[in-house]
Amino acid sequence: MDDRLKGHEQEWALYKASAPAQGASIIGYRAERDAYVRGINKSDAVVASVSIVEVAGPACAIPVRIYSPLSGTGKPLPVILYLHGGGWTVGGGDALEGTYRAYCAATGCLVVVPDYRLAPESKFPAAVEDCWAVARWLADNAPAIGGDPSRVAVAGESAGGNLAAVLSAMARGDENVNFALQLLVYPVLDLAGETDSFMNARDAVTRDKLRWYTGCYINGPDDFANPLASPVRGDHFRGLPRTVLITGSDEPALDEINLYADLLRRDGVDVEYHCFEGWPHGFAFWPDTDAYKSMMKVVVDALGPAEGRTDSSGRNA
């Protein structure tokens, strides 16, 4: 990893910390971590506009960021409902602005990002409830923001991938919410962290760090078995949308990601799987890396419309 992230050693060391020092406040940690992620997750991708609307949620209004691409076709656009990562505790607001802009410009899709409630102030299932409220709002209001409700993908990385997988499962029982695709980047799919890949993790997110995050998020050990927290533990996976999984070979959650892919295939779901050799958790934050560029090619191939498409840097293709 040192060679691949040459020139970014200090930022990578900060990212690997992944949890606050003992005794640090969550507010202070959140501000510090979001600041350095914002510093590395940069993009010069050009979008037409960025707006923020408020969606009624179960506990409070949910700020929702909407990124509109440079399209000009006047036709309804496909939509990406993007759920940010950050261990359910950090990553809100514009911390991943570079990712949202890159997805929008590269795919030609509207990108809709809920600023869902974070833990430990709001524990499970608060994040699920907020993201689901925005999914239902989007099903009714996509045309009003220029989107096509029949072409909505749900996507996310890490904890956001967890939430995206949960929403995909929930949508099977809803008449209005219908995802055409789920795109999951190194999703955390089993919060127990008991797989060999997590037990033997050495980089970025170890089992101990996962336990810190889940300790903030869940209410107790019983939540590990709840498929709304650990989507790989669902009873079945029939009816899920086409699924694109992206991960690295050094990912701590690799075993559960592989299991999830197998379970989906068993139940007849179309699964596209990409594993980048030698890369750990977190590469989706780093636009300068080969793994990020490979990821964006997969994203564009999966989500990009035929008209008005740009490359992963936001330039016209």
Side-chain angles (χ1 to χ4, degrees), residues 12 15 37 40-42 82 96 98-99 102-103 156-158 185-186 246 276 279-289 291-293 295-296:
W12 183 249
Y15 176 73
V37 168
I40 60 178
N41 184 243
K42 295 179 179 178
Y82 193 95
L96 286 175
T99 292
Y103 270 58
E157 94 290 340
S158 191
V185 180
Y186 43 73
I246 303 172
F276 302 141
W279 287 93
H281 197 88
F283 65 75
F285 293 161
W286 298 78
D288 293 340
T289 65
Y292 182 95
K293 294 168 186 174
M295 176 193 74
M296 287 306 300

Side-chain angles (χ1 to χ4, degrees), residues 286-305:
W286 298 78
D288 293 340
T289 65
D290 292 339
Y292 182 95
K293 294 168 186 174
S294 296
M295 176 193 74
M296 287 306 300
K297 184 180 185 306
V298 174
V299 169
V300 171
D301 288 345
L303 296 168

